[in-house]
Amino acid sequence: MAISLSLAQLDRLPDGVERPGYDRADLSPGILHIGIGNFHRAHQAVYLDRLFSMGRDHDWAVIGAGVKPFDAARRRVLMEQDWLTTVVELDPEQLTAQVTGAMIDFCEVSSQALIERLSDPAIRIVSLTITEGGYYMDPDGGFDTKNIEIQEDARRPDDPQTVFGILLAGLRRRRDLGHAPFTVLSCDNLPENGHVTRRTLEGLSGLIDPALRDWVHDHVACPNCMVDCIAPAITDSERDLVAERFDIADAAPVTCEPFRQWVMEDNFPLGRPALEHVGVEFVQDVAPYETMKLRILNAGHAAIAYPAALLGYHYVHDAMADAQIRVWLSQLMRREVIPVLPKIDGVDFGSYLDMCVSRFSNPVINDTVARLCLDGSNRQPKFVLPTVMDALALDQPVDGLALEVAFWCRYCAASADPASGIALADERAERLAEAALATRQDGVSFLHLREVFGSLAEEPRFVAVFKKHAMSLWSGSTRDALAKFADVAQNEA
């Protein structure tokens, strides 16, 4: 029978399972992390666990936090196993497991309890994984002052419900108590995520009190960072794997690829853990690294997701075994994405793409196409559309980029048919499906969703090529579209 995961049972774990190389009683909190999902536990928590196991920085342990109902459920599960997590790295050659203990508590899921924790001067960094849609950006990348949740928090700043309202309430309390403000570190996949975080903090604080906005502007640090590690959703299959392969009964394990990267600006006024000793890169300017990752890896996921879904693929590695999808990804990136990327000294974008292709093709990760299709209306404006705008400005090709958007449009339209088996998981699902269906008649209605595309519908060169692809997908097939793009790319090579 598998061993129930807990502090008391650590010594009973099989010899092949790595466990914390430190006494949990020696840890004290320094970081509060909002959004304790699979990614955080496969990424940030692993780096910290490794650092603590070196005997360093034991005053930087993590307090978990969340604001959604599912966070309360996750808290209950993790509390029963003393906040420990089994992390299984899915190397095709050999699966390995480690139990991490960097998190030592999880705040009660209520805004007032979280504000109280944020006011503790021991908390010097607040990190976030709250998804790309959690930053209240308008279609042009600014702060969305018209959002109903934001307006409500501005009216009731002492009883906030959003993450940013709660952060500001905690910062206000620290200011009033004479404590220095914590650093806010976004670990979400956003271009210039630190700048976006600052814009949202300052935007909401300005609605509450202009003096608070000025104080936030002058005193709160929001460094940019780039994070990377594929951590797919967990099902009973993964829980069974952990029990059968490693003899651990973990109700909330994490599986991930054997790759992780973290690049950060070194701007932490109250200090930080010495993560450079465990592979984190600290640089002056994160933006080029961030842009490379968002526009090759994340946009690459989007590029394969929608044609793969339309072709009926369930797993990403199966889609990558399809020669047409593999060629489509490579040609799109090499012809239209990489040429408009800002250069990075010593970095070969082609080699980075090859590494991404290899990672996507890992057959033991079992990452799903459905996961890559999630939340397209928030992800496309951050991963794909900025490359479109740059390519248009530089008079570079946009044919493949337009086809990628057309695949997304066709996927959204297909979701309206129950027989398709496609469930559109997006906060704008109804509007997306309606606009996508209308595109069958006029070829362009999808681009008129201004909250997604901004002013892109006013770019005649992009509109023309999108219309061509959108209408072609209605009259032809996904495979036809992939083949035609490959032929054009080959002829132009």
Side-chain angles (χ1 to χ4, degrees), residues 353-434:
L353 172 62
D354 291 341
M355 180 180 65
C356 290
V357 169
S358 177
R359 292 166 63 192
F360 296 171
S361 304
N362 186 333
V364 294
I365 290 181
N366 285 337
D367 200 7
T368 64
V369 171
R371 185 187 76 85
L372 304 191
C373 293
L374 288 171
D375 203 22
S377 69
N378 279 309
R379 294 181 175 185
Q380 290 277 317
K382 298 170 181 66
F383 302 158
V384 177
L385 302 187
T387 302
V388 174
M389 299 306 292
D390 285 353
L392 289 171
L394 295 169
D395 199 27
Q396 292 293 306
V398 292
D399 187 66
L401 292 162
L403 178 55
E404 190 279 337
V405 178
F407 280 136
W408 179 39
C409 174
R410 189 66 186 86
Y411 171 87
C412 292
S415 71
D417 179 5
S420 71
I422 291 175
L424 187 55
D426 194 294
E427 65 181 357
R428 300 180 176 91
E430 186 175 344
R431 295 198 298 280
L432 288 168
E434 182 180 354

Side-chain angles (χ1 to χ4, degrees), residues 27-31 58-63 104 117 120 122-124:
L27 301 185
S28 59
I31 298 171
H58 287 180
D59 59 337
W60 285 102
V62 174
I63 301 293
I104 60 173
R117 287 290 187 122
D120 181 353
I123 299 301
R124 288 151 284 165

